[in-house]
Amino acid sequence: MQFIDEAEIHVKAGDGGAGAVAFRREKYAPRGGPSGGDGGNGGDVVLETDARLTTLLDFRFKREYRARNGEPGRGRDQNGHAAKELVLKVPPGTLVKDSASGGVLADLREDGIRYMLAKGGRGGLGNMNFATPTLQAPRFAQPGTEGEEKRVRLELRLLADVGMVGFPNAGKSTLVARLSRARPRIADYPFTTLTPHLGVVQYKDGRSFVLSDLPGLIEGAHRGAGLGHRFLKHMQRCRAMVHLVDASQERDLVADFEAVRRELVLFDEALGRKEQVVAANKIDVPEARERAEAFKKKLARKKIRVHLISGVTGEGTQELLDAMVRALEAAETPQPFDKDLAPGPEDKQPRPERLDDESGRDSAEKALRRAGRSKR
């Protein structure tokens, strides 16, 4: 299945049905009272998280969603049926943003969460609600209100406990395959990984956590270079990270390490404060161990510990795994994305209340009559 983590959709909740204008006309009651029923409420549009989903692929092929309108009222005191809600399934970890402002509407992080994306309109009152001792045959009713209409952006941010970062071809996918049962695509050329992969890691004491390998970062990733924005946003969910350095390359490993750290901080300062484990990979390659040892000594001066590992042979991976668990124990629980959180859809269209006092009925009658004359 194709991995799609962004989509923009337009939703329209159903309109409320109109109230009816009707009168009783039985054989022995030729001048019966008003009997127009109320209109039904329009259908809501609801987002619901489903753990069985892992992508927003369905929203790439269909981008318009409309809930049904409520039925209009009928005679003989019959109310119209309310429309059923339209439920759109999304994977856990989906962020809902307003397309125009970019503000966060909801952060759907857990399975089974329901969010009211667009509220259906309220049905109008039929003329039977407006009868009074002085107005026994009202010939007006209320129209239904319109349902909410929105254009939103859905962004899927993977729910991984530990995220793995580094330059392309650092061996992230190989290490995920070594530590978990995930089987990502692995090859000996840059940008083998084009989408994040998740693997469940079983620790020796029975605990488990989710490990993710992110596509390799390049200079300028925080500005979107190499699809950096799409990759880096997944790190915001992680509680800790593993920074993997390729020791087999004849490069300045310290400069590579600092370059990736810089991209993380420039994208989001909070990424620089996450618990971090550093590892020099591919020490099974000739001369790579010497470069890894030199890299370890240089970072020791900055009080940063480096683990020497090989994702191919498994050397050092158990010690790295222990360090990941310690990092998770020290990590803070990530907070929802509520910096720009806007109020969720509320019922801003209250159902018109029944008018109990005569002055209220008279006011409503006059207003509706004025509206009728203006239309004519």
Side-chain angles (χ1 to χ4, degrees):
M1 180 182 292
Q2 186 179 3
F3 180 78
I4 299 296
D5 57 358
E6 293 181 355
E8 187 168 307
I9 62 174
H10 177 264
V11 299
K12 172 69 169 66
D15 298 335
V21 176
F23 297 91
R24 295 176 56 197
R25 289 294 183 267
E26 287 85 353
K27 181 177 180 179
Y28 297 104
R31 294 181 178 275
S35 63
D38 303 341
N41 295 336
D44 305 325
V45 180
V46 177
L47 293 179
E48 183 175 353
T49 54
D50 188 339
R52 294 171 295 182
L53 301 178
T54 58
T55 177
L56 296 173
L57 180 63
D58 291 344
F59 298 101
R60 279 296 180 95
F61 299 108
K62 182 179 179 182
R63 302 192 179 190
E64 298 282 339
Y65 296 89
R66 290 179 176 270
R68 292 184 178 275
N69 297 334
E71 290 186 355
R74 297 181 291 275
R76 298 186 179 180
D77 302 339
Q78 297 181 70
N79 296 332
H81 288 293
K84 292 184 178 180
E85 63 182 13
L86 175 62
V87 180
L88 306 179
K89 301 279 190 175
V90 296
T94 299
L95 202 63
V96 186
K97 291 184 175 182
D98 180 78
S99 293
S101 67
V104 178
L105 300 176
D107 185 3
L108 310 178
R109 302 174 61 187
E110 301 176 0
D111 182 31
I113 297 296
R114 289 169 57 88
Y115 172 69
M116 179 79 70
L117 184 57
K119 181 71 176 175
R122 293 292 186 177
L125 296 177
N127 69 333
M128 66 177 181
N129 298 280
F130 299 100
T132 71
T134 58
L135 181 64
Q136 298 181 4
R139 297 183 179 276
F140 55 86
Q142 288 182 332
T145 60
E146 293 186 357
E148 290 184 326
E149 189 170 2
K150 289 185 178 180
R151 182 173 293 276
V152 297
R153 185 173 185 82
L154 305 178
E155 295 183 3
L156 175 59
R157 305 196 176 182
L158 296 180
L159 297 173
D161 297 302
V162 179
M164 202 174 299
V165 297
F167 273 164
N169 208 31
K172 297 183 291 294
S173 298
T174 301
L175 186 57
V176 169
R178 163 69 63 175
L179 297 177
S180 71
R181 294 184 178 181
R183 292 296 175 262
R185 182 183 179 188
I186 299 171
D188 189 21
Y189 56 87
F191 295 109
T192 304
T193 302
L194 298 178
T195 62
H197 298 99
L198 296 177
V200 178
V201 179
Q202 298 290 340
Y203 193 53
K204 55 189 176 183
D205 62 358
R207 284 182 290 177
S208 63
F209 61 89
V210 178
L211 176 65
S212 171
D213 70 319
L214 299 182
L217 302 179
I218 61 175
E219 293 279 358
H222 70 280
R223 297 191 300 270
L227 298 179
H229 285 168
R230 292 187 58 186
F231 299 158
L232 285 167
K233 69 183 182 183
H234 293 292
M235 284 300 301
Q236 294 176 309
R237 296 278 193 190
C238 300
R239 296 164 54 201
M241 70 176 69
V242 174
H243 191 149
L244 205 61
V245 176
D246 183 2
S248 68
Q249 299 291 325
E250 294 183 4
R251 298 166 55 94
D252 186 341
L253 301 186
V254 175
D256 288 354
F257 172 75
E258 294 295 345
V260 172
R261 288 184 66 185
R262 185 165 54 252
E263 295 299 329
L264 293 171
V265 173
L266 289 174
F267 179 75
D268 185 350
E269 292 183 0
L271 295 180
R273 298 191 294 270
K274 289 184 180 290
E275 293 292 327
Q276 181 178 249
V277 179
V278 183
N281 193 22
K282 303 185 181 180
I283 59 174
D284 56 291
V285 177
E287 300 182 1
R289 188 181 295 271
E290 294 180 7
R291 284 192 286 269
E293 291 286 359
F295 173 66
K296 181 178 181 179
K297 291 179 181 178
K298 290 179 181 179
L299 259 63
R301 299 168 190 166
K302 300 181 180 182
K303 298 182 180 181
I304 299 176
R305 182 180 178 183
V306 178
H307 298 267
L308 307 187
I309 67 166
S310 170
V312 174
T313 66
E315 181 180 352
T317 55
Q318 183 58 53
E319 290 76 10
L320 177 63
L321 190 56
D322 295 339
M324 290 184 198
V325 173
R326 289 194 297 270
L328 286 174
E329 291 174 346
E332 297 180 355
T333 302
Q335 298 299 314
F337 292 89
D338 58 357
K339 293 180 181 179
D340 304 314
L341 192 61
E346 295 178 352
D347 187 2
K348 297 180 181 179
Q349 301 170 335
R351 185 179 181 83
E353 297 180 358
R354 297 180 186 274
L355 304 175
D356 295 327
D357 61 286
E358 186 171 341
S359 60
R361 289 193 182 94
D362 291 341
S363 299
E365 175 192 348
K366 292 177 182 178
L368 288 169
R369 285 177 174 172
R370 283 198 298 271
R373 285 197 298 270
S374 63
K375 288 182 180 180
R376 290 194 296 271

